[in-house]
Amino acid sequence: MATSIFLSHPFSPLLSKNHRIPSPKQTIAIAYHSTNKPTTKTPFLPLPTSFFPFPSNPRKEFWPISVGRTQTDEKDEILVVGEDSAEFELSKQKISSWVYFAGILGVVLYVLNVVWIDNSTGFGKSFIDSVSSISDSPEIVMLSLTLIFALVHSGLASLRDKGEELIGERAFRVLFAGVSLPLAVSTIVYFINHRYDGVQLWQLNSVAGIHELVWISNFVSFFFLYPSTFNLLEVAAVDKPKMHLWETGIMRITRHPQLVGQVIWCLAHTLWIGNSVAVAASVGLIGHHLFGAWNGDRRLAIRYGEAFEVVKNRTSVIPFAAILDGRQKLPEDYYKEFIRLPYLSITALTLGAYFLHPIMQAASYRLHW
């Protein structure tokens, strides 16, 4: 599933007075108490809650402060540690920042087209031809393209701390996007052009209800985007990029929504297409996101220390697991964390992408990758 980027809005009048969200400056705070005084005791279950255990070496001190509660019961408060997902305050926006964003977006798309997509000037077709020379099997080529993207994308992500120290946050973001974006485009285009190659394993398109199941699954999968994709200005390096510790919204359901969304998307497309190329693409993408989940936890543990451990203890990788076993306490007005502009944007853009599938496919076919 290609990463989509959307705006967000808090709709603050909808939030109750007992549903307060911390500012980014409060992300290292935590408290669990039954009195008016904060305490550093955290009565969370000692059992591991991640499927990716690793030693952590926290670098930040841990200071308890009260920043808001998720239940109205005064005797049993669990306070927010991380940031509010999909938050966007219109009053804090600058017109100049969005003008810069529009300009940067235009320049990026132009350069991407000239340097990579356009067959007469770009290197995209040569790259695809080089990878395709490895094997005549479209499954092998599909897996190879996914592996190359995964190595570059996750590799650069792992080097983020050192890279930002050397060249700065904005410069590293430009490097990260400048290398990852062309590889992502190549992988997506190859999948579109070769998705019906390979060996047909099953054919369920004519089975009643399959189209509706696949459509709904694809639609739902885009609601599991990682909240950082909503920060358009940080993605474009207009604002200084940050590594966020999210806790609300989709993070209450699963700590790794991008992984869950990718799995849903892959299963739906593989069910519909039903051939070996779709299986190869799904294996590669899901494998990459499994590694990304482990690597993401590792990086957040290094960056946020004990604050991340608290968030990890009351969230889960498997959707709803932390809610069902009582580690995640949902506020009464939890649904309001989704009544925000990014999810309205996802709805509109996902529907638009569905109806624009023929145009997207035609554009991909013209590249002959």
Side-chain angles (χ1 to χ4, degrees):
M1 179 176 61
T3 304
S4 303
I5 304 171
F6 303 100
L7 297 175
S8 52
H9 190 282
F11 282 90
S12 56
L14 296 177
L15 297 177
S16 70
K17 64 182 180 179
N18 290 325
H19 190 100
R20 293 173 289 167
I21 300 298
S23 66
K25 294 181 179 179
Q26 295 170 316
T27 55
I28 62 169
I30 174 64
Y32 183 101
H33 60 83
S34 57
T35 66
N36 292 328
K37 295 182 179 181
T39 177
T40 56
K41 295 182 179 179
T42 54
F44 299 105
L45 294 177
L47 298 176
T49 58
S50 171
F51 295 104
F52 315 104
F54 52 85
S56 61
N57 183 24
R59 297 190 301 185
K60 293 192 176 183
E61 292 187 0
F62 188 60
W63 298 100
I65 62 171
S66 177
V67 293
R69 60 182 173 232
T70 60
Q71 288 184 322
T72 56
D73 187 352
E74 295 289 347
K75 296 182 179 180
D76 186 23
E77 293 185 347
I78 298 181
L79 305 183
V80 177
V81 179
E83 297 178 61
D84 186 20
S85 303
E87 182 183 20
F88 181 87
E89 295 186 34
L90 186 60
S91 61
K92 294 183 178 180
Q93 303 306 305
K94 297 179 181 179
I95 295 178
S96 59
S97 295
W98 291 104
V99 171
Y100 290 145
F101 170 79
I104 291 172
L105 179 62
V107 170
V108 168
L109 293 177
Y110 176 79
V111 173
L112 180 65
N113 181 65
V114 172
V115 175
W116 198 260
I117 296 176
D118 191 328
N119 287 334
S120 63
T121 60
F123 296 95
K125 182 171 174 49
S126 297
F127 171 72
I128 293 292
D129 290 343
S130 297
V131 178
S132 298
S133 67
I134 297 174
S135 173
D136 293 332
S137 167
E139 296 88 352
I140 297 298
V141 176
M142 187 73 248
L143 280 172
S144 298
L145 289 169
T146 306
L147 179 61
I148 292 170
F149 171 77
L151 289 173
V152 172
H153 190 266
S154 293
L156 285 174
S158 298
L159 296 173
R160 179 174 179 173
D161 288 344
K162 293 296 183 182
E164 289 180 346
E165 290 178 5
L166 290 173
I167 62 176
E169 291 89 344
R170 287 187 173 90
F172 187 82
R173 175 55 57 87
V174 171
L175 173 64
F176 180 81
V179 177
S180 298
L181 187 57
L183 297 177
V185 170
S186 297
T187 306
I188 294 168
V189 170
Y190 186 88
F191 173 75
I192 292 175
N193 290 352
H194 297 270
R195 69 192 186 281
Y196 290 118
D197 294 347
V199 179
Q200 195 68 37
L201 303 175
W202 58 80
Q203 189 73 43
L204 302 177
N205 297 12
S206 60
V207 176
I210 289 296
H211 179 270
E212 290 75 13
L213 173 63
V214 170
W215 191 93
I216 293 173
S217 298
N218 286 327
F219 182 79
V220 170
S221 70
F222 282 91
F223 284 83
F224 283 85
L225 286 167
Y226 195 70
S228 291
T229 61
F230 302 147
N231 293 1
L232 283 169
L233 296 181
E234 288 187 25
V235 171
V238 176
D239 288 348
K240 183 180 294 186
K242 303 178 181 66
M243 186 184 294
H244 295 273
L245 180 62
W246 304 110
E247 185 176 8
T248 63
I250 195 69
M251 306 299 287
R252 298 183 190 273
I253 296 176
T254 170
R255 189 169 69 255
H256 291 289
Q258 196 82 16
L259 166 62
V260 174
Q262 185 69 77
V263 170
I264 295 173
W265 187 93
C266 285
L267 292 178
H269 277 75
T270 302
L271 177 65
W272 181 255
I273 298 172
N275 65 22
S276 55
V277 172
V279 171
S282 295
V283 168
L285 289 170
I286 293 174
H288 169 46
H289 281 73
L290 284 170
F291 174 80
W294 170 82
N295 197 36
D297 278 356
R298 181 186 67 83
R299 293 165 57 219
L300 285 171
I302 293 173
R303 178 68 66 95
Y304 286 98
E306 192 173 353
F308 169 71
E309 295 301 322
V310 173
V311 172
K312 187 176 73 170
N313 285 339
R314 62 191 187 201
T315 56
S316 60
V317 178
I318 297 177
F320 302 104
I323 297 173
L324 293 176
D325 66 22
R327 289 181 290 110
Q328 174 63 236
K329 305 296 184 181
L330 295 180
E332 294 180 357
D333 54 357
Y334 171 60
Y335 67 93
K336 294 180 180 178
E337 295 179 2
F338 289 91
I339 307 179
R340 295 177 173 182
L341 187 57
Y343 295 106
L344 297 177
S345 300
I346 290 171
T347 301
L349 293 175
T350 304
L351 291 174
Y354 173 77
F355 291 111
L356 290 175
H357 260 54
I359 296 176
M360 296 163 59
Q361 293 167 6
S364 181
Y365 294 150
R366 283 198 297 270
L367 294 176
H368 301 290
W369 288 3

